[in-house]
Amino acid sequence: MGSYWSFRLMVMVALLTVSITFKSANSDPQITLLNEGCNTKYRADNITNFGINFNKSLADLRNQISGGNTHFATAQEVWTSDPVFVLFQCRDYLSIADCVSCFDTASSQIQECYPHNGARFLYDGCYLRQEASFFFDQATNSGNGQICGNQTASQPTDFQTQAEALLQDLKLATPQMEGFFAASKRQLGNGSDAVYAVAQCTETVSKSGCEFCLKQVYDYIDVCLPNTDGRGFDAGCFMRYSATPFFADNQTTNIIPYLRAKGGNSNKRKTIILGAVVGVGLLLVILAFLLWHQLYRKTKKIEKSNIFGTTEIRGPVTYNYKVLKSATRNFSEENKLGEGGFSEVYKATMRNGKVVAVKKLNINFGKAKADFGSEVRLISNVHHRNLVRLLGYANKGAELLLVYEYMANGSLDRFLYGEKRGHLDWKKRFDIIFGIAKGLAYLHEQFHVCIIHRDIKSSNILLDDDFQPKIADFGLAKLLPEDRTHLSTGFAGTLGYVAPEYAVHGHLSEKVDTYGFGIVILEIISGRRSNNTAVAPLSVSLLDQAWKLYESKTHLQLVDKTLDPKDYDAAEVKRVIDIALICTQSQPSERPTMSEVVIMLSSDHSIEECRRSNSNISSDTKLYIEETH
Ligand SMILES: *[C@@H]1O[C@H](CO)[C@@H](O)[C@H](O)[C@H]1NC(C)=O
Ligand SMILES: *[C@@H]1O[C@H](CO)[C@@H](O)[C@H](O)[C@H]1NC(C)=O
Ligand SMILES: *[C@@H]1O[C@H](CO)[C@@H](O)[C@H](O)[C@H]1NC(C)=O
Ligand SMILES: *[C@@H]1O[C@H](CO)[C@@H](O)[C@H](O)[C@H]1NC(C)=O
Ligand SMILES: *[C@@H]1O[C@H](CO)[C@@H](O)[C@H](O)[C@H]1NC(C)=O
């Protein structure tokens, strides 16, 4: 309570100061409402929780905007049922005072949607959106369009030509600019009139998402010409032009350097690489990390609406149990894709023709059931190209069904030592290793809670049509019965993959996944199943064999005989084997974090360099899902 009031007071003092300072400077928060929408399809389940989450996250946004001198903020409250994600953006040309006042208008109008969990309000000056699941990276969505003024420009042809040229330039420049915002003006032919325009993307979309969104929005807004005013908008971006100035002259940005910057970009990358080669220690690693990050952003796909055509809500969809039952033909044997200790997976063809995978959990849920809803919500918010998407769920009595995207190529083990053996060349194998590493790094460090998989193995890696790996079954360990999670009766991992400290003592950390990942690398390279000496005491385990070969410097004997030696670079294979061995050190502290692994895989410098300098990077504020739930 105390801190809430002192926060209120602080804001009031701040506002007072600001309003005195800005009163004379024609403050205008530009609160003309352009577009609004409540997600009427999705009502909050538990209105109390929703109300609390909603108010908390809005207060958080306001705090960030008014206190941080920033025009953009996101916030989320996800620890109870009915999680809330909010995003707020002001046009950069607004003063912070105007931005806060636009926010206040938006946050009071958004209450209209209560208790629908999902809303958006778009103004000339700002944009507020709330959803029940993560959407911050979303570039496009339904509900996009344009709003055109009704006056024709006095010199229509000239105005249209200049406005189009300006908007085209903004479309090119904005994705390359820091903060994804640009404002500019262009003089008309006879010199007295001008056209003013801005473009802006939300800061949490990728560069390619920003490009894609502005391309769409350019097409929307172009329809308005030659009228004097137009606005175009989509989930991740906004454009506006006008014959009358709507931002101060000193707020224009210089976009010219960005218009022919395509070559400049790759030059920069060259210097970065050059610097990394000659550079030393920490600097080198940080640069490599930046480079990786940039590449990662580049390749990130633009979010599309999911395969069911639902767009606004991307939270967990509740399916009808009967529908899923009939879509799997009564869970028939021929629809079965696989089974594990606690579950069976079936292929299901929905009425609209879409194919999904349905996982049927055979657990006698007691206490676990209460966690189910929040767990599913959490998992369904995980979006990464190397992680299998959870689309929704259904339950009936004690039975729980999870609905996942379907992966036509099935699991990795089939391609290593199963019926599809010999189909993967070295490049595909390397890409698979890299993809798994990125997926795990996301789960451990980039998602807002650290999710430890606990059961990384080749049969849990699925392959999509392009042989991109997608990790399956993450976040489920929590749903397993308590007594199954430690060795006393069995543990969540699988023999041959499980880290010794977890198998023996039940010590769980993300390094358990690093270990499993190391074993998977060895399987990918050797095309052999990792057998455990505890199960087959007379045979040498894959890991032991790898160590022996490493010690005698005959790494390459490990490589799958179905691989053509001309097809791979021996030095690269050796490097990857080294990485596998460092991931499977018996001391957890000696194993790298998954983001360190990503750096090692994406760069040429030695593992030792990485290890030495990376102790500084790994974050010390980790939330463990076990502790926080
Ligand atoms: C809403 O959730 C809270 C806390 O999780 C719980 O105490 C309350 O009973 C729930 N209310 C309803 C109507 O389910
Ligand atoms: C949230 O804020 C609104 C507006 O300030 C208020 O009417 C409502 O009672 C608040 N809800 C909760 C649960 O605190
Ligand atoms: C143009 O729009 C304004 C409001 O934006 C409205 O008052 C006016 O009547 C409209 N004029 C025409 C000709 O439609
Ligand atoms: C420019 O064109 C507009 C519209 O035709 C006209 O009103 C204005 O006087 C012109 N200005 C000059 C400097 O020629
Ligand atoms: C921009 O110009 C306005 C007057 O139009 C002035 O009040 C403001 O301080 C200027 N801002 C900057 C950053 O120069």
Side-chain angles (χ1 to χ4, degrees):
M1 254 300 143
S3 69
Y4 176 69
W5 280 110
S6 58
F7 152 66
R8 277 286 287 266
L9 216 69
M10 241 168 57
V11 171
M12 275 168 61
V13 171
L15 273 181
L16 227 65
T17 334
V18 166
S19 62
I20 291 166
T21 329
F22 281 79
K23 215 156 213 147
S24 52
N26 270 349
S27 93
D28 176 10
Q30 303 193 346
I31 51 173
T32 311
L33 183 60
L34 301 176
N35 183 268
E36 68 181 296
C38 300
N39 183 358
T40 51
K41 280 182 284 184
Y42 194 34
R43 256 179 82 94
D45 285 338
N46 182 320
I47 291 180
T48 319
N49 286 345
F50 175 65
I52 293 170
N53 288 341
F54 191 63
N55 284 7
K56 263 197 194 160
S57 56
L58 288 179
D60 185 355
L61 282 186
R62 196 180 195 281
N63 199 8
Q64 291 183 52
I65 299 291
S66 62
N69 197 28
T70 170
H71 289 80
F72 179 81
T74 62
Q76 57 207 36
E77 287 296 328
V78 297
W79 294 115
T80 60
S81 72
D82 303 276
V84 167
F85 293 77
V86 284
L87 175 153
F88 180 74
Q89 174 190 51
C90 281
R91 312 300 158 219
D92 284 14
Y93 57 77
L94 286 190
S95 67
I96 291 298
D98 284 341
C99 181
V100 170
S101 114
C102 198
F103 174 84
D104 287 342
T105 304
S107 79
S108 102
Q109 281 194 303
I110 205 171
Q111 305 284 347
E112 288 168 14
C113 291
Y114 182 90
H116 296 294
N117 196 341
R120 78 182 115 72
F121 281 80
L122 174 69
Y123 304 83
D124 271 338
C126 66
Y127 172 48
L128 177 63
R129 181 172 172 200
Q130 182 265 318
E131 297 289 347
S133 62
F134 182 85
F135 67 92
F136 303 153
D137 60 350
Q138 198 179 61
T140 61
N141 200 341
S142 60
N144 45 32
Q146 71 281 89
I147 292 179
C148 303
N150 58 11
Q151 312 276 313
T152 308
S154 54
Q155 308 151 269
T157 323
D158 192 20
F159 185 77
Q160 172 147 6
T161 312
Q162 294 304 331
E164 276 178 351
L166 176 57
L167 291 167
Q168 291 269 17
D169 285 353
L170 287 174
K171 179 177 86 177
L172 280 179
T174 309
Q176 303 177 57
M177 311 218 18
E178 182 81 9
F180 290 154
F181 174 85
S184 190
K185 77 169 187 179
R186 197 148 297 178
Q187 227 66 49
L188 298 194
N190 75 1
S192 65
D193 297 329
V195 52
Y196 303 81
V198 298
Q200 185 174 30
C201 292
T202 51
E203 289 179 26
T204 39
V205 300
S206 63
K207 186 176 170 204
S208 61
C210 179
E211 276 163 6
F212 184 77
C213 185
L214 287 174
K215 222 163 103 192
Q216 308 269 49
V217 165
Y218 174 82
D219 292 340
Y220 304 146
I221 199 173
D222 191 41
V223 174
C224 294
L225 287 164
N227 287 6
T228 53
D229 287 277
R231 286 100 169 162
F233 51 88
D234 206 327
C237 69
F238 176 78
M239 275 182 141
R240 178 183 179 187
Y241 77 84
S242 178
T244 38
F246 55 96
F247 50 87
D249 254 353
N250 58 13
Q251 295 295 329
T252 53
T253 28
N254 181 10
I255 58 173
I256 290 163
Y258 298 95
L259 296 180
R260 277 173 298 275
K262 288 253 148 74
N265 229 359
S266 72
N267 266 345
K268 196 151 115 206
R269 183 144 340 133
K270 252 180 226 146
T271 24
I272 289 178
I273 292 172
L274 212 74
V277 171
V278 278
V280 256
L282 185 61
L283 185 66
L284 180 144
V285 174
I286 290 174
L287 287 176
F289 184 79
L290 286 177
L291 191 67
W292 163 67
H293 190 68
Q294 197 180 1
L295 285 171
Y296 164 76
R297 275 178 72 132
K298 260 215 185 100
T299 53
K300 202 157 156 188
K301 284 201 182 122
I302 287 145
E303 274 295 337
K304 298 221 181 77
S305 60
N306 76 31
I307 57 169
F308 293 97
T310 56
T311 46
E312 279 311 307
I313 26 166
R314 304 191 317 142
V317 177
T318 321
Y319 287 87
N320 185 310
Y321 182 88
K322 282 202 195 111
V323 168
L324 292 178
K325 191 170 163 186
S326 79
T328 57
R329 293 203 257 153
N330 229 344
F331 305 111
S332 70
E333 218 29 61
E334 73 253 41
N335 277 41
K336 195 188 270 187
L337 297 168
E339 59 192 310
F342 307 103
S343 63
E344 286 144 17
V345 184
Y346 297 89
K347 181 172 173 176
T349 311
M350 307 301 280
R351 271 187 222 131
N352 62 5
K354 298 293 178 203
V355 179
V356 296
V358 174
K359 188 181 194 86
K360 188 165 159 226
L361 292 169
N362 302 321
I363 303 170
N364 192 8
F365 283 88
K367 175 186 161 295
K369 188 140 185 226
D371 293 333
F372 184 72
S374 61
E375 213 58 26
V376 166
R377 249 177 251 276
L378 187 74
I379 302 167
S380 71
N381 280 319
V382 176
H383 299 285
H384 188 277
R385 63 187 313 214
N386 298 116
L387 299 169
V388 176
R389 276 233 14 228
L390 175 67
L391 303 171
Y393 69 101
N395 64 329
K396 180 178 167 245
E399 263 186 67
L400 293 165
L401 304 178
L402 297 175
V403 181
Y404 286 100
E405 57 181 336
Y406 174 73
M407 294 293 135
N409 271 326
S411 57
L412 174 61
D413 55 339
R414 294 168 66 222
F415 286 86
L416 296 179
Y417 35 75
E419 69 264 38
K420 296 273 186 178
R421 161 146 221 227
H423 275 63
L424 298 177
D425 61 19
W426 171 249
K427 187 183 175 306
K428 285 206 182 83
R429 291 186 200 218
F430 182 84
D431 287 347
I432 289 169
I433 292 170
F434 199 20
I436 303 169
K438 286 188 281 190
L440 280 174
Y442 181 83
L443 275 185
H444 291 170
E445 292 166 56
Q446 287 150 22
F447 191 56
H448 59 87
V449 287
C450 170
I451 295 181
I452 301 170
H453 190 295
R454 306 187 201 198
D455 199 11
I456 289 296
K457 55 181 173 183
S458 299
S459 57
N460 267 340
I461 311 297
L462 305 184
L463 298 175
D464 72 6
D465 297 344
D466 299 327
F467 291 96
Q468 285 300 313
K470 293 198 184 236
I471 303 169
D473 270 4
F474 53 87
L476 293 185
K478 189 82 193 317
L479 298 176
L480 301 179
E482 292 278 314
D483 60 340
R484 291 288 194 166
T485 51
H486 294 301
L487 191 62
S488 48
T489 49
F491 45 91
T494 303
L495 281 175
Y497 295 91
V498 73
E501 77 280 5
Y502 184 46
V504 178
H505 302 293
H507 290 167
L508 183 63
S509 71
E510 69 268 44
K511 298 294 180 68
V512 166
D513 290 347
T514 304
Y515 186 95
F517 171 74
I519 300 288
V520 170
I521 297 186
L522 294 178
E523 292 193 334
I524 291 174
I525 287 174
S526 68
R528 279 184 46 200
R529 188 191 291 275
S530 162
N531 48 353
N532 189 284
T533 43
V535 175
L538 294 180
S539 66
V540 178
S541 82
L542 181 57
L543 181 57
D544 287 343
Q545 193 195 5
W547 270 112
K548 290 215 170 76
L549 295 174
Y550 171 80
E551 277 158 10
S552 62
K553 299 222 185 312
T554 50
H555 291 56
L556 292 178
Q557 285 183 30
L558 195 69
V559 177
D560 193 341
K561 300 292 176 286
T562 69
L563 279 179
D564 181 351
K566 278 181 267 160
D567 176 48
Y568 56 83
D569 170 18
E572 185 174 49
V573 173
K574 276 189 182 147
R575 202 163 55 85
V576 178
I577 294 176
D578 289 350
I579 292 173
L581 292 177
I582 206 162
C583 287
T584 48
Q585 295 287 312
S586 55
Q587 282 301 323
S589 58
E590 309 250 293
R591 295 174 212 149
T593 64
M594 288 310 300
S595 61
E596 288 170 341
V597 172
V598 170
I599 296 170
M600 291 175 193
L601 286 168
S602 56
S603 56
D604 291 335
H605 50 266
S606 83
I607 289 162
E608 270 318 303
E609 274 172 297
C610 251
R611 305 255 26 218
R612 237 181 297 123
S613 12
N614 250 292
S615 42
N616 303 329
I617 287 186
S618 57
S619 92
D620 45 18
T621 51
K622 286 269 162 58
L623 275 166
Y624 288 92
I625 187 168
E626 281 77 18
E627 288 161 12
T628 31
H629 262 265

